Amino acid sequence: AMDLFGDLRRMNKRQLYYQVLNFAMIVSSALMIWKGLIVVTGSESPIVVVLSGSMEPAFHRGDLLFLTNFHDDPIRAGEIVVFKVEGRDIPIVHRVIKIHEKENGNIKFLTKGDNNEVDDRGLYKEGQNWLEKKDVVGRARGFLPYVGMVTIIMNDYPKFKYALLAVMGAYVLLKRES
């Protein structure tokens, strides 16, 4: 750690400003890419990590899902959706098992985890028996197996997350262009 501060002290102000700007560009580029994905996919969260085993064997804990959420695309039974429930912060990844379509075109639907014994009515807010289109964050369109385990590890061990961020930040600040 002392070596790190020694490196910082040896840099002249111009080098330090350059490194800080470089770091800011990396962060802003990542944010722009994320916002671009939101626009292209129509989903407020175009990439999510499966956090539980409720969808096994289709998806395992740590799988990274790619989502789209186009409003003119009707939801069908058998599709895997990611939805948010009032009062819960974390979205849920489950399969649509029943569709309830009204004559005016409104659709309500019921979900269930492939690995669960019962449907999701116990997860919905009190008094809610069906989900609506507004509850959907997106629909699974593809996945990368286990890539999201890094996210799960960082959530389970916050100290690891801060250590990793500190190392990455120090690397970007101290890395000199050759």
Side-chain angles (χ1 to χ4, degrees), residues 47-63:
I47 300 170
V48 295
V49 175
V50 177
L51 297 175
S52 77
S54 68
M55 279 304 291
E56 289 178 3
F59 298 120
H60 296 276
R61 192 167 188 253
D63 287 355

Side-chain angles (χ1 to χ4, degrees), residues 16-176:
L16 188 63
Y17 290 143
Y18 175 77
Q19 297 302 90
V20 169
L21 277 174
N22 201 13
F23 184 70
M25 276 183 46
I26 290 169
V27 170
S28 60
S29 294
L31 285 172
M32 285 190 291
I33 290 168
W34 183 255
K35 290 294 182 183
L37 281 173
I38 288 172
V39 170
V40 169
T41 63
S43 174
E44 67 187 62
S45 187
I47 300 170
V48 295
V49 175
V50 177
L51 297 175
S52 77
S54 68
M55 279 304 291
E56 289 178 3
F59 298 120
H60 296 276
R61 192 167 188 253
D63 287 355
L64 196 69
L65 298 184
F66 300 101
L67 311 178
T68 62
N69 195 21
F70 302 117
H71 292 285
D72 53 347
D73 197 5
I75 289 174
R76 302 183 201 300
E79 261 188 318
I80 295 170
V81 295
V82 177
F83 61 92
K84 268 192 174 166
V85 177
E86 219 175 286
R88 288 179 181 256
D89 295 338
I90 297 170
I92 299 166
V93 180
H94 281 173
R95 190 178 304 275
V96 175
I97 57 168
K98 279 186 190 162
I99 299 275
H100 191 61
E101 196 166 355
K102 294 188 175 173
E103 291 190 20
N104 66 2
N106 276 0
I107 291 176
K108 293 188 174 197
F109 55 94
L110 180 63
T111 55
K112 176 185 170 294
D114 290 358
N115 202 17
N116 293 351
E117 296 293 320
V118 295
D119 65 42
D120 290 344
R121 286 193 170 125
L123 297 175
Y124 303 160
K125 76 176 183 192
E126 198 173 322
Q128 181 180 12
N129 289 322
W130 299 87
L131 290 176
E132 296 176 41
K133 189 86 166 133
K134 67 174 176 55
D135 300 313
V136 175
V137 174
R139 299 178 219 189
R141 299 295 186 205
F143 77 104
L144 285 173
Y146 303 112
V147 174
M149 282 309 285
V150 174
T151 304
I152 290 173
I153 290 167
M154 286 198 295
N155 282 337
D156 289 351
Y157 305 100
K159 286 179 183 169
F160 175 75
K161 174 171 58 180
Y162 297 124
L164 188 64
L165 288 171
V167 167
M168 287 169 42
Y171 174 75
V172 170
L173 285 173
L174 297 175
K175 182 180 151 269
R176 290 192 177 92

